Amino acid sequence: MTSRAFIAGCAGPNLSATERSFFRDAEPWGFILFARNVADPDQVRALVADLREAVGWMAPVLIDQEGGRVQRLRPPHWTDDPPAEAFGQLYLSDPSAALEAVRLNSRAIAADLYALGIDVDCLPCADLRHPDGHGIIGNRAYGTEPVAVAALARAAAVGLMEGGVLPVLKHIPGHGRAPVDSHEKLPVVTATRGELEGMDFAAFRDLSDLPLGMTAHVVYADIDPDRPATTSPVVLSEVVRGSIGFDGMLMSDDLSMGALAGTMETRGRDALAAGCDMLLHCNGKMEEMEKVAASAPVLTGEAYARAAKALSLRVVPDPVDARQLRAAVAAQLKTVG
C-alpha cells in the first residue's frame, strides 16, 4: 500500500466529506486522535474505521494516552490513570514493584485503546524532570535519573506492546530542560553537550531499540544553536541516530506547534531534510494539512523499512480485565509514603 510520509489529525468526532476525499487522495501513513475527536466508545470505533476506510488499509491510529494531565480518553467512559511521576516515586522505595505497576498500567491502557481500534500510543515519555525545566513535562516524567527513567519507560513500552499497541518514545533527545512550552515558543537549552549526553540523552540511549520515536522541538545550543532537534541535521544524525543509536521510525513532534517557524510546507521539508522519517500534524485544519501533504513524499527507502518494521510488531493480544489490572496498580501505588 502506497502511503506518504505524514500522520494527520481530523477536525471533529466524525469525518466530513471533504476530509474523506482529502485522505483518500493524500494517502497519509497514519492518523492521530485528540479530545475533540472523542465522544463515546462507539463513536471512536466508528471514526477509527472511517479513517482506515478512507485510505484503504489498516493504517496506524495514534493517540496521547499517558495518564495524568495528558490523556485524551476521559471519564465517564474511560479511566483517569496516574501520571508517570507516581511510578517514579514508587521506584525510589521498591523498583521491582514500580516496574510491574508501570507494565500493568500500560497493559490496561492498551486494552482500552485496542478495544477502540487504536494501535499506537504516544507513550513512554523518557524526558527527565529538571528543576529549571518548564512544567509542560513536570509529572509526565518518571523521574530525574536516567537509569530509573529508562527502566520505567521500558516497562511502559512492554505493557503497551503486550496489549497490541505500539509505543512512541518521546521527546527525543530530551525535553526536560526546556525552559518554555514548545507548544507556544521555541525552547533553548544551554547545557553543554557533555551534560546532555550524560543525563538527558542517556535515558533515550537505553531505549534505542523501540520501534517509534518522536522528536523534541528544542534547541540544544551547544550542538546546533540555530535549529531545534526536529529540523537539525546535526542533532538528528550525531545525537539521535548517532550517540543515542535510535534506529526506529522517527516522527516529528506536531508541526503546528509554536516552537517552529515558517510555513507548514517549509517546516515539513526542513524536518524531512534533517532526518525525520515521518511528519506529524495534529490540529486537523485542512488548509494546513494540505501544505503538510504537499511537502510529504511517498514513503520509501529506509523510512519505509522502519515504518514497516514497526507495524510488523502489532499483535492480537490475549484478553485481560483492565479493571483488575488497575486495581493492582492502585494497590501498589498506595504503598508510597
Side-chain angles (χ1 to χ4, degrees), residues 4-16:
R4 293 167 70 188
F6 78 106
I7 296 165
C10 57
N14 308 106
L15 286 189
S16 68

Side-chain angles (χ1 to χ4, degrees), residues 174-210:
H175 204 300
R177 290 183 196 258
V180 298
D181 181 356
S182 58
H183 292 88
E184 300 172 358
K185 298 178 182 179
L186 177 60
V188 177
V189 168
T190 58
T192 67
R193 182 166 184 168
E195 291 176 288
L196 293 166
E197 292 281 4
M199 288 292 292
D200 306 58
F201 301 169
F204 291 92
R205 194 172 298 121
D206 290 342
L207 300 162
S208 61
D209 61 323
L210 292 185

Side-chain angles (χ1 to χ4, degrees), residues 64-75 78-87 101-102 104-113 121 123 139 160 322-323 325-327 329-330 333:
D64 290 283
Q65 193 72 6
E66 296 179 14
R69 290 177 290 125
V70 180
Q71 44 190 336
R72 314 307 181 194
L73 306 176
R74 294 278 191 177
W78 298 278
T79 302
D80 274 341
D81 289 307
E85 180 182 59
F87 301 101
V102 166
L104 293 178
N105 185 68
S106 288
R107 184 65 184 84
I109 290 173
D112 291 346
L113 301 185
D121 190 5
L123 175 77
N139 67 3
L160 290 177
R323 281 185 288 187
L325 296 180
R326 287 188 166 101
V329 171
L333 292 181

Side-chain angles (χ1 to χ4, degrees), residues 28-109:
W29 179 77
F31 302 95
I32 187 164
L33 302 184
F34 283 82
R36 65 178 184 271
N37 307 122
V38 172
D40 58 64
D42 287 342
Q43 169 270 322
V44 174
R45 277 189 287 268
L47 176 58
V48 168
D50 285 348
L51 289 166
R52 289 181 169 139
E53 183 181 24
V55 293
W57 69 289
M58 187 69 174
V61 177
L62 293 70
I63 199 166
D64 290 283
Q65 193 72 6
E66 296 179 14
R69 290 177 290 125
V70 180
Q71 44 190 336
R72 314 307 181 194
L73 306 176
R74 294 278 191 177
H77 300 291
W78 298 278
T79 302
D80 274 341
D81 289 307
E85 180 182 59
F87 301 101
Q89 291 174 341
L90 177 59
Y91 187 92
L92 296 175
S93 59
D94 192 338
S96 62
L99 295 175
E100 180 64 359
V102 166
R103 186 187 69 81
L104 293 178
N105 185 68
S106 288
R107 184 65 184 84
I109 290 173

